[in-house]
Amino acid sequence: MSDEREFANIYESEDTTHFSVVDKDGNMVSLTYTLENGYGSRIVAEGGGYLLNNEMGDFNAVPGVTNRDGQIGTPPNLIAPEKRMLSSMSPTIVAQDGRPLMAIGSPGGRTIINTTMQLILNVIDHGMNIAEAMEAGRIHHQWLPDVTSMEERSFSPDTINLYEAMGHETRVRGRQGSAMGVYHDRENGLFMGGADSRVGDSGAAGY
Ligand code: DON
């Protein structure tokens, strides 16, 4: 298999990616795109020139088995014809007064929903700009397992201790997601781009 660095100037992630776009009139696109991990199924559609994903892995592969890794063995996600598998991908547009205010999203499997939610909370409720919202520390909890993971170097030991004293199990781990977003500042009419510094292939650009 070729290394994509032979063709591109920068290393590009081999799995899920997200981009957000705004045009001069304020129309927005929010798109999360996935092959799943590691080049998807590694099969190229003949004559098409594109890789097929392996999202089939997001179906409930082992009925009835619910484990601490987050596999949930419920019947609604069983494989069947014409069904679509469970997905956490959450390309999101937040609107205000019927017009797009911001477009956001992220890769990260089951952490995507929490990453996206925290971006919205950071901007709308905590008054951060889109870039600050991207950089703020992230947490994740997905019911099963009953553990809250927190990004390393983002939360003080005091905060973690207080949270654990309330009975929560915590786990500190590396980065969560790779968010990309655009924001329309209604006060000055400017469009702002936010690119997550957690990864090396992010970027914000205006044309
Ligand atoms: O559809 C989903 O929720 C997952 N297959 C997405 C995978 C993903 O985000 C992996 N990227 N880091």
Side-chain angles (χ1 to χ4, degrees), residues 15-16 34 36-37 55 58 86-89 107-109 112:
D15 43 59
T16 312
T34 192
E36 194 52 44
N37 295 322
E55 282 282 280
D58 279 344
L86 174 153
S87 176
S88 301
M89 290 191 289
I112 294 173

Side-chain angles (χ1 to χ4, degrees), residues 41-103:
S41 64
R42 304 180 185 191
I43 296 169
V44 175
E46 199 174 337
Y50 53 86
L51 283 157
L52 300 177
N53 69 41
N54 64 358
E55 282 282 280
M56 292 294 282
D58 279 344
F59 273 117
N60 172 6
V62 191
V65 174
T66 296
N67 63 23
R68 281 185 58 86
D69 297 327
Q71 185 172 303
I72 302 169
T74 52
N77 197 37
L78 287 171
I79 298 176
E82 298 184 22
K83 274 178 74 173
R84 200 187 227 189
M85 64 292 287
L86 174 153
S87 176
S88 301
M89 290 191 289
S90 314
T92 299
I93 295 177
V94 178
Q96 185 181 42
D97 303 325
R99 297 287 298 157
L101 180 69
M102 65 177 178

Side-chain angles (χ1 to χ4, degrees), residues 8-153:
N9 290 326
I10 56 166
Y11 174 75
E12 188 181 334
S13 152
E14 62 208 34
D15 43 59
T16 312
T17 190
H18 178 88
F19 60 82
S20 303
V21 183
V22 59
D23 73 7
K24 64 179 173 45
D25 299 315
N27 300 302
M28 294 188 185
V29 172
S30 179
L31 188 145
T32 310
Y33 171 95
T34 192
L35 293 173
E36 194 52 44
N37 295 322
Y39 296 99
S41 64
R42 304 180 185 191
I43 296 169
V44 175
E46 199 174 337
Y50 53 86
L51 283 157
L52 300 177
N53 69 41
N54 64 358
E55 282 282 280
M56 292 294 282
D58 279 344
F59 273 117
N60 172 6
V62 191
V65 174
T66 296
N67 63 23
R68 281 185 58 86
D69 297 327
Q71 185 172 303
I72 302 169
T74 52
N77 197 37
L78 287 171
I79 298 176
E82 298 184 22
K83 274 178 74 173
R84 200 187 227 189
M85 64 292 287
L86 174 153
S87 176
S88 301
M89 290 191 289
S90 314
T92 299
I93 295 177
V94 178
Q96 185 181 42
D97 303 325
R99 297 287 298 157
L101 180 69
M102 65 177 178
I104 49 170
S106 175
R110 288 179 183 171
T111 66
I112 294 173
I113 298 167
N114 287 325
T115 295
T116 306
M117 186 59 169
Q118 283 164 80
L119 286 170
I120 296 171
L121 292 173
N122 287 347
V123 172
I124 304 295
D125 295 285
H126 303 305
M128 297 183 197
N129 68 40
I130 189 91
E132 290 171 321
M134 298 270 164
E135 297 308 316
R138 295 178 184 148
I139 63 172
H140 176 67
H141 191 292
Q142 63 183 40
W143 177 50
L144 289 168
D146 187 8
V147 176
T148 303
S149 56
M150 302 178 166
E151 283 188 309
E152 61 186 350
R153 292 188 288 277

